[in-house]
Amino acid sequence: MILKNVFENINFAIRYRDICDKYNDFDGRMLGNQKKIYLKVLNRFDYEFKYFTNGSFFEIKSEIDIYEFQFNIVLKDGQIETLFFMKKNNIDIEPSGRVDFLTEKLKLPFERKLFNLPLFSSEDELFSILEELFLIFEDLKKEFLKFDM
């Protein structure tokens, strides 16, 4: 499975596990929906995004030639739920969805019950986590394009 190779080549499971391990203060996490803070932090990055109120998530899309990459971010109660979707010629490439479930679908070594969602307790932590997740997103795109699925 080519997609598995893409995730393995960028050390996805290890990198995501490290983020979840580093940011895991459940009791100290930022509670509630802090949309103003989320917008302030997201605006510090060089991405255009849309906010969808019906699912309370932010969507970032990137189109490169015949490919479309989509990164969704759900921020609530100090948790960051990230989802990744890919298309080639408007056809979905599977598996896709929540990144901690992708590791299971691709049979990558990852303990989802221990490391599923990173938690943030401050604006600075949110920025740091997103910074690392965006690096993974960029690496996924680059590696994915190498394989020309």
Side-chain angles (χ1 to χ4, degrees), residues 19 23 37-50 58-60 71 73 75 80 82 120 122-138 141:
I19 293 169
Y23 300 99
I37 291 173
Y38 306 157
L39 289 169
K40 181 179 174 186
V41 171
L42 283 165
N43 280 320
R44 292 171 60 187
F45 294 97
D46 192 26
Y47 289 101
E48 289 185 30
F49 58 85
K50 272 194 219 179
F58 296 89
E59 174 191 82
I60 296 168
F71 192 55
I73 306 165
L75 301 169
I80 301 177
T82 51
F120 60 93
S122 69
E123 189 176 314
D124 289 337
E125 280 190 356
L126 175 58
F127 179 84
S128 296
I129 295 167
L130 289 174
E131 187 173 45
E132 291 182 49
L133 290 172
F134 287 144
L135 287 174
I136 291 172
F137 179 55
E138 292 301 322
K141 291 189 304 186

Side-chain angles (χ1 to χ4, degrees), residues 1 10 25-26 43 51 66 91 94 97 101 126 136 149:
M1 178 185 289
I10 68 158
D25 183 5
F26 183 80
N43 280 320
Y51 180 72
I66 59 172
I91 298 171
E94 295 293 336
F101 287 108
L126 175 58
I136 291 172
M149 306 173 105

